[in-house]
Amino acid sequence: MAVSSKDYPNTLKKLMQTANVFSVKTLLDRSCFETIDDSSPEFINFVSILEHILGHRFKGQTTWFGYESPRSFWDYIKAACSKVPHNCIRSIENMENVRPSRAKGRAWIRVVLMEKRLSEYISFALRDLKATRRFYEEGAIMLGEEAGLLADTLIGLNTIDFSFCLKGEGLDGCCPAVIDYTPYLKFRQKADSISSDEEEMRTLGSSGSESSTPDKTATAASIFTEQSNLVSKCKRFEQKYRMALEQKDYLEELVRLREAQLSEAVSHNKTLQQGLADTHLSHTLEKEQLEYIILELQDQLHSFQTLEQLSADMSLSQPSLRAAHTLTLEASVLHLSGKEETPSLRGLCGSLTSVTSYKSLASLKSNECLASPATEISTPDISPS
């Protein structure tokens, strides 16, 4: 069946997605018997498929002259996964034996596989749509619905214990990633068809050996049939057991991931509730302080108004008090003189209308600058002038 040029991108996406699923399954099958390292053919094929998926329709970096310099998926991982908690990006950047960008990307794949966090990194990067659109063109696998399936498929790899050497030839950035599709294109006969073929062979064998002894032929045929049935049943049970084991590991890892997300969400919710309670308490205290300040200001305003009223009343009553005080001073001066008013005393009394003149008069009397009545009468030399 020929594939048109329009359907080629979709066909390539489906092929890459199918190859990724098969590569993960072969890795899971191989991990049941041996440890996965750099020399495993299944791992080499899986890494090649993953690099092709991450590099599908990857944008180059535009220079000043309008040309695009090639980049690798490591630049995208650095930008999109820099905020992953406890990430390994800085440690990979500081590796001395790994210089090219593609080599750092391959080292990152091996490190996160050993940390059992490859699916977490891919999911975190896919949530950053801005960075993903900045690094990938339209039609890329990382921008389609297949990317979410990729992250879900990679969860099963968290059940495998990987062991890698980060100084081997697999990190060479000059070697291109080549995918081998032959392990996924092999024809595998089902157990049912195998049993049916065996039955046909037994039928042909029994029909060709009719000349032999009937009892011995029947006995041998029954024994062979029982053995073949037992073998086919064992194969079917083994296949079902392995499938159930893979599903169990996948579900356990999925449950663990969901529990971690749930605990993180619960802790975040508690933090938000505590912050809300603290904010409400601080707002309540501020409200009470503001109410107390308002009451205090009202009391001060009331006291200021009372003082202003008292000062106004005193300013109105001050002229009458001055007049009464002046009359009292004049009466006391007349009492002290003991005689009729003279022009000098009248002028003196007229000058006592103020409190300052009264104070000066008292000081003059105390210094005996003013003559007493007896002295004024007995002095004969005083002229009328």
Side-chain angles (χ1 to χ4, degrees):
M1 180 179 176
V3 180
S4 62
S5 59
K6 295 182 179 179
D7 297 335
Y8 178 74
N10 296 329
T11 306
L12 180 61
K13 287 182 181 181
K14 292 180 181 179
L15 180 62
M16 297 292 292
Q17 182 181 357
T18 306
N20 180 63
V21 173
F22 280 135
S23 64
V24 172
K25 286 186 177 181
T26 54
L27 275 176
L28 291 172
D29 293 340
R30 178 63 63 181
S31 65
C32 297
F33 303 102
E34 62 183 17
T35 303
I36 304 297
D37 54 9
D38 292 304
S39 61
S40 301
E42 293 83 4
F43 171 74
I44 296 173
N45 219 25
F46 165 75
V47 171
S48 301
I49 295 171
L50 184 60
E51 287 186 20
H52 276 278
I53 291 175
L54 294 175
H56 182 245
R57 289 185 176 272
F58 199 80
K59 292 181 181 179
Q61 187 174 6
T62 306
T63 60
W64 285 92
F65 301 100
Y67 299 103
E68 287 188 358
S69 59
R71 294 188 296 183
S72 68
F73 66 90
W74 171 243
D75 300 321
Y76 166 66
I77 295 298
K78 283 194 301 181
C81 300
S82 59
K83 296 183 180 179
V84 175
H86 309 289
N87 61 77
C88 60
I89 293 176
R90 182 175 296 179
S91 60
I92 293 175
E93 279 288 327
N94 296 331
M95 292 178 66
E96 297 180 355
N97 61 318
V98 180
R99 295 298 181 184
S101 179
R102 180 181 292 181
K104 290 182 179 180
R106 291 177 177 177
W108 169 78
I109 292 175
R110 286 161 173 77
V111 171
V112 295
L113 282 174
M114 288 190 290
E115 292 179 353
K116 304 181 186 297
R117 299 180 65 187
L118 178 59
S119 176
E120 180 184 353
Y121 275 84
I122 297 297
S123 301
F124 194 91
L126 292 175
R127 286 196 292 268
D128 192 354
L129 295 177
K130 185 177 180 180
T132 307
R133 294 184 183 278
R134 190 171 75 249
F135 283 92
Y136 288 94
E137 299 176 355
E138 292 295 332
I141 298 177
M142 297 296 290
L143 290 175
E145 298 178 356
E146 299 85 358
L149 298 176
L150 170 66
D152 294 336
T153 305
L154 296 176
I155 296 178
L157 297 177
N158 296 344
T159 60
I160 302 176
D161 295 327
F162 293 94
S163 178
F164 302 118
C165 179
L166 300 180
K167 297 182 180 180
E169 297 179 354
L171 299 181
D172 188 7
C174 300
C175 299
V178 180
I179 302 176
D180 184 14
Y181 290 100
T182 54
Y184 317 125
L185 300 177
K186 289 181 180 179
F187 174 75
R188 295 183 180 180
Q189 194 175 13
K190 295 182 179 180
D192 298 335
S193 62
I194 292 174
S195 60
S196 62
D197 292 342
E198 291 176 353
E199 289 177 1
E200 290 180 1
M201 292 297 294
R202 286 196 300 271
T203 303
L204 292 174
S206 61
S207 61
S209 60
E210 289 178 353
S211 58
S212 59
T213 307
D215 295 337
K216 292 181 179 180
T217 304
T219 304
S222 62
I223 293 173
F224 183 76
T225 303
E226 290 178 358
Q227 289 180 353
S228 61
N229 289 334
L230 289 174
V231 170
S232 61
K233 286 181 179 179
C234 287
K235 289 181 178 180
R236 287 197 295 271
F237 284 139
E238 183 180 359
Q239 186 178 6
K240 290 181 180 179
Y241 171 74
R242 293 178 66 179
M243 291 178 61
L245 184 62
E246 292 176 3
Q247 292 178 357
K248 171 180 171 293
D249 295 338
Y250 172 75
L251 292 176
E252 285 180 352
E253 185 61 27
L254 187 62
V255 168
R256 187 190 67 80
L257 181 62
R258 294 294 181 265
E259 287 179 351
Q261 293 176 354
L262 180 61
S263 62
E264 184 178 357
V266 169
S267 61
H268 184 63
N269 188 18
K270 289 182 179 179
T271 304
L272 291 178
Q273 288 181 354
Q274 184 65 29
L276 182 62
D278 295 341
T279 305
H280 180 70
L281 180 61
S282 63
H283 287 176
T284 304
L285 294 176
E286 289 179 359
K287 182 180 178 182
E288 292 178 355
Q289 290 178 358
L290 290 175
E291 290 178 353
Y292 176 76
I293 291 171
I294 290 172
L295 293 176
E296 188 176 356
L297 291 175
Q298 288 179 352
D299 294 340
Q300 292 180 1
L301 180 61
H302 181 69
S303 61
F304 288 157
Q305 290 177 353
T306 305
L307 290 174
E308 288 179 357
Q309 184 66 30
L310 290 174
S311 63
D313 295 341
M314 290 178 65
S315 62
L316 291 176
S317 60
Q318 190 172 5
S320 59
L321 290 175
R322 285 180 178 177
H325 189 62
T326 303
L327 293 175
T328 306
L329 287 175
E330 291 177 354
S332 61
V333 169
L334 292 176
H335 178 71
L336 290 172
S337 60
K339 65 175 184 177
E340 294 182 357
E341 295 182 0
T342 59
S344 60
L345 290 177
R346 187 176 300 171
L348 182 61
C349 291
S351 64
L352 291 177
T353 54
S354 62
V355 179
T356 308
S357 302
Y358 171 73
K359 290 181 178 180
S360 62
L361 179 63
S363 61
L364 288 174
K365 185 179 179 182
S366 61
N367 293 330
E368 295 181 357
C369 292
L370 292 176
S372 61
T375 308
E376 187 178 353
I377 295 173
S378 59
T379 305
D381 297 333
I382 296 176
S383 63
S385 62

